[in-house]
């Protein structure tokens, strides 16, 4: 529908004086509210927007402090919904100033004639759902109340400044300013003694400019932030050229990227680079002056792994020490209490150099906390600072502040949102809340919001919501509400996502830690903008999964369920594999499948370094077989784990699970010997099993030679390798040795019977398929032999076997036979522990480089192996918080 037709067909908002009647009420007239109004009108809805401010702009209306700018390059921080608008506006700077962004939003409001439907200077004070009428009633502090079918909160993530928590603010006789509520008149600071409290993004932007004006500036810092030079200037020539060469493609890439800015994923991990190479990449990033660049392009592990992150954090601290002359001030400015990126990093212009000025003093509140504000200034527990002006750059009650400030929001059954959110925000997709029909939040908690280019996230949310309202209207539905199941599932998915990044390791406004008494937890969605978009699309394509839709003349529709049950990174991997449209492995034949696997593995980054890696040959059942040995960097001798790789007895070799062996070698502090046992169909059953046993025996007899501890070995294996490990334990028991101290069975094949629910539920779509398992069995073992315990160990005698740790994955055809084996072991009196990995698939734990959520499982596996070997447990700093995530047992 064209704009003109849509607007003509839209019924006009009506008012009975006390109440304004509209289809949709939008609260907020910033980036989100403006685009909403435009889309709603175009879709033929009557709509009103309400804003406390006296003009459009939202963030950019309120934040007028010196130095206020965006920190995403402005060519990316723009609307993209209308290509004509996109090319009609030219930004003058790489990072535009607040006045320019405000002019842009005014330009947008004029271009689409939006102001006529905005009630400025009006605050929405509370909202109540009228169940009988299926409408929201909004009360305002200025003029008519509003009755609307749908209530959309475009109230902003950073729009409620945090009130100062310091005693005595009212006693201060000088001037007080808040960066988030800066006055519209000129603020004269020249010749004055100014205090700035707070060194987050706003403080860091304002401090250098205030220092230039003030007679003296005292900066009160509680938490140091990482800041990078913006290198501001004209819009970046590279990015502008990219945009202009293919505007649609550029914008589309941003929509599907992780942060809403079109950068590809970082191709390398830190340990693949030398110190010099890392430094070179870092210097390039430092010179680029782009937060998204440094957060995404340095090395892939910097945002997800403590060790990878420590490298970049230290390089930034080195820069700070190089700029700030006074070592004590430099040390105070150097963040040491959070990983880089886990707290919002800042872009600066001369921030650190400002501390070299003679008129600037830094006060480290970790050493001398503020005790009060007095009539003449600020008092710490050590000193008094007399000042004329205090600037509070203390940030916002982020993400939930503006939503909760509308109080009460009363939903179905008289429930209040603030009660429902008392222990932290609950939502479905960050867009809706169960119990609050027809209420939508734009960039609400649970969506990528502040971890993204918000312009992109806002457009995605607005489009999704307005498309849904249109679809509802067409189908005759008048109410939509998230189900409790969907909402709980989203909370679980959010928790899973939060293990992907390092945000959980810092106390920040992302987690609510900056507001006393606020419930703690990572509020924004950390799974990325592109994955989030695909989930929202999937909700629609699966029949509005997780929503209940009702209407006066249609049957209610409720397709209940959880939208994401896979771990977030597993979902990404499976989607990537699906997009590659690979031929089924079994269709390639053994040689083709092996070549495919070798090529697939070659494209993956090498595993992490260990102390030593060496190759050799050992005595198999029928001649020598190769092995690869991974030795820890710690002094030996170490216990030895005999490892059997996966590959369905047909594929793989002693090198193919290299990243997993390295990771486990590092975590356990044990030697891993990966055995190159023989494969079918060239060497059918029982060749692999017999090689497994022979290799274990040989290794047990050569522990000293291999640098191992003179003690029983352990065995471990994944998939068909898990099968060989299990069988080896049975053969060792029955053949008089060697002694085995414990077995780690990772997604093992334990039985030839496919008649299990996991084979039916996960037959296709999770990498290991039922047809592929059929093929593996056919390549290795003739039907007549399949019940032999040397290939179906579940059918063997289980008493007297070594203690076991059995790992199964929820989305794996082999899940139920692994569980059956663990239960059968326990029933036979074998000490056994199970780890049922929720949301994981067959290859999750061996895809060390891409399935980050596999860390928690590997931590548990390593603990089990150390326990079996009688070693003490030690928690690595890098594993902090990872142990209990994503696991069901
Ligand atoms: C200094 C600063 C710099 C930023 N830089 C970037 C950047 O570079 N890139 C980026 O992606 N994001 C940035 N952000 C985040 C920024 O908030 C968003 O990019 C975006 O402007 C949010 O738009 P919005 O419309 O959702 O909310 P806002 O712009 O916050 O607008 C919300 C509006 O709702 C109104 N409102 C709230 N509650 C009520 C109520 N009860 N009644 C009436 N009106 C109400 C407010 O008055 C406000 O005008 C920055 C934020 C700040 C503070």
């Amino acid at each position: 529908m064209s704009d003109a037709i849509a607007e003509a067909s839209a019924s006009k908002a009506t008012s009975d004086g006390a109440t304004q009647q509209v289809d949709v009420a939008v609260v907020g007239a910033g980036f989100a509210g403006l685009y909403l109004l435009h889309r709603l009108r175009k879709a033929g809805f009557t709509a009103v927007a309400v804003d406390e401010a006296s003009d459009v702009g939202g963030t950019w209306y309120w934040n007028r402090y010196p130095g206020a700018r965006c920190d995403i390059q402005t060519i990316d921080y723009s609307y993209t919904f209308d290509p004509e608008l996109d090319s009609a506006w030219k930004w003058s700077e790489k990072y535009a100033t607040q006045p320019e962004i405000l002019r842009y939003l005014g330009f947008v409001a004029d271009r689409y004639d939006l102001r006529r439907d905005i009630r400025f200077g009006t605050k929405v004070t509370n909202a109540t759902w009228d169940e009988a009428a299926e409408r929201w009633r909004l009360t305002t502090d200025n003029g008519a109340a509003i009755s609307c079918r749908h209530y959309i909160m475009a109230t902003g993530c950073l729009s409620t400044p945090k009130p100062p928590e310091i005693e005595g603010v009212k006693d201060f006789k000088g001037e007080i300013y808040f960066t988030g509520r800066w006055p519209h008149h000129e603020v004269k600071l020249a010749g004055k003694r100014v205090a700035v409290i707070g060194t987050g993004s706003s403080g860091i932007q304002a401090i250098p400019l205030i220092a230039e004006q003030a007679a003296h500036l005292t900066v009160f810092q509680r938490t140091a932030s990482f800041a990078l030079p913006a290198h501001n200037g004209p819009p970046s020539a590279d990015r502008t050229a990219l945009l202009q060469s293919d505007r649609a493609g550029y914008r589309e890439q941003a929509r599907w990227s992780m942060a809403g800015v079109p950068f590809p994923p970082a191709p390398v991990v830190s340990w693949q680079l030398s110190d010099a190479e890392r430094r070179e990449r870092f210097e390039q990033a430092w010179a680029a002056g782009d937060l998204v660049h440094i957060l995404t392009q340095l090395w892939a592990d910097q945002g997800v792994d403590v060790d990878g992150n420590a490298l970049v954090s230290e390089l930034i601290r080195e820069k700070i020490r190089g700029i700030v002359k006074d070592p004590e001030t430099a040390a105070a400015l150097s963040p040491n209490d959070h990983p880089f990126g886990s707290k919002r990093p800042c872009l600066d212009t001369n921030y650190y150099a400002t501390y070299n000025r003679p008129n600037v003093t830094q006060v480290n509140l970790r050493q001398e906390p503020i005790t009060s504000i007095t009539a003449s200034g600020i008092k710490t527990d050590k000193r008094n600072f007399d000042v004329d002006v205090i600037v509070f750059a203390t940030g916002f009650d982020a993400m939930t502040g503006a939503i909760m400030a509308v109080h009460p929001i009363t939903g179905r059954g008289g429930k209040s949102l603030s009660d429902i959110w008392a222990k932290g925000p609950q939502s479905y997709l960050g867009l809706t809340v169960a119990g609050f029909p027809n209420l939508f939040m734009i960039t609400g908690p649970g969506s990528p919001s502040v971890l993204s280019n918000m312009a992109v996230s806002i457009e995605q949310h607005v489009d999704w919501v307005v498309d849904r309202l249109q679809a509802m209207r067409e189908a005759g539905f008048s109410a939509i509400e998230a189900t409790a199941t969907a909402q709980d599932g989203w909370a679980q998915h959010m928790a899973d996502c939060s293990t992907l990044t390092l945000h959980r390791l810092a106390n920040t406004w992302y987690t609510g830690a900056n507001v006393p008494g606020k419930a703690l937890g990572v509020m924004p969605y950390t799974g990325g903008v592109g994955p989030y978009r695909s989930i929202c699309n999937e909700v629609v394509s699966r029949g509005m999964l997780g929503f209940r839709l009702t209407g006066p003349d249609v049957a209610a529709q409720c397709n209940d369920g959880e939208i994401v049950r896979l771990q977030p990174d597993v979902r990404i991997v499976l989607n990537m594999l699906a997009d590659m449209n690979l031929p089924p492995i079994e269709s390639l034949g053994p040689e083709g499948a092996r070549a495919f696997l070798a090529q697939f593995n070659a494209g993956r980054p090498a595993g992490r370094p260990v102390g030593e890696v060496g190759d050799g040959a050992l005595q198999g059942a029928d001649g020598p077989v190769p092995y690869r040995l991974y030795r820890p960097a710690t002094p030996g001798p170490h216990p030895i784990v005999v490892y059997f790789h996966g590959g369905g007895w047909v594929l793989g070799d002693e090198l193919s699970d290299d990243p997993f062996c390295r990771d486990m070698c590092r975590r356990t502090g044990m030697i891993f010997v990966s055995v190159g046992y023989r494969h079918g169909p060239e060497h059918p059953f029982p060749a692999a099993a017999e090689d497994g046993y022979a290799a274990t025996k040989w290794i047990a007899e050569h522990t000293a030679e291999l640098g191992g501890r003179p003690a029983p070995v352990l065995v471990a294996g994944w998939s068909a390798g898990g099968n060989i490990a299990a069988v080896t334990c049975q053969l060792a028991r029955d053949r008089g040795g060697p002694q085995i101290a414990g077995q780690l069975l990772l997604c093992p094949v334990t039985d030839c019977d496919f008649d299990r629910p996991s084979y039916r539920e996960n037959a296709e779509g999770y990498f290991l398929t039922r047809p592929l398992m059929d093929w593996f069995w056919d390549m290795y073992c003739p039907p007549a032999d399949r019940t032999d315990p040397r290939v179906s160990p579940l059918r063997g005698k289980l008493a007297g076997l070594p203690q076991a740790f059995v790992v199964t994955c929820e989305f794996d055809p082999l899940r139920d036979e692994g569980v059956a084996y663990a239960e059968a072991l326990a029933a036979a009196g074998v000490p056994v522990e199970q780890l049922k990995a929720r949301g994981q698939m067959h290859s999750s734990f061996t895809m060390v480089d891409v399935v980050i959520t596999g860390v928690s499982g590997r931590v548990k596996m390593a603990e089990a192996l150390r326990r079996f070997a009688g070693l003490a447990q030690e928690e690595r700093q890098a594993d902090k918080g990872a142990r209990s995530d994503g696991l069901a047992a």
Side-chain angles (χ1 to χ4, degrees), residues 224-288:
S225 301
F226 286 100
L228 280 96
H231 301 301
N232 202 15
S236 140
D238 293 357
R239 301 205 74 74
T240 307
L242 273 176
L243 175 66
Q244 283 172 353
S245 67
D246 176 11
R247 191 171 287 274
Y250 182 95
R251 297 303 191 200
E252 195 61 6
Q253 195 189 343
R255 291 180 190 121
W256 291 97
S257 67
M258 290 305 274
V261 178
F263 279 114
V268 286
V269 282
S270 60
W271 61 88
Q272 288 177 291
L273 302 165
S274 65
D275 282 354
E277 286 167 330
R278 281 198 295 265
R279 187 169 288 275
E280 192 187 330
R281 282 175 161 260
F282 172 75
E283 291 296 346
Q284 278 169 5
W286 192 260

Side-chain angles (χ1 to χ4, degrees), residues 272 599-607 656-657 659-660 846-850:
Q272 288 177 291
Q599 198 188 357
F600 188 78
N601 284 343
R604 290 167 53 189
S656 54
D657 292 348
F660 179 73
T846 50
M847 285 191 157
V848 174
D849 45 328
V850 284

Side-chain angles (χ1 to χ4, degrees), residues 27 140 187 265 380 451 473 492 507 634 740 790 795 836:
V27 188
T140 72
V187 175
T380 69
L451 291 182
R473 185 178 56 191
Q492 182 62 65
N507 290 327
T634 51
I740 295 174
R790 285 175 298 165
R795 292 168 195 251
K836 295 177 178 172

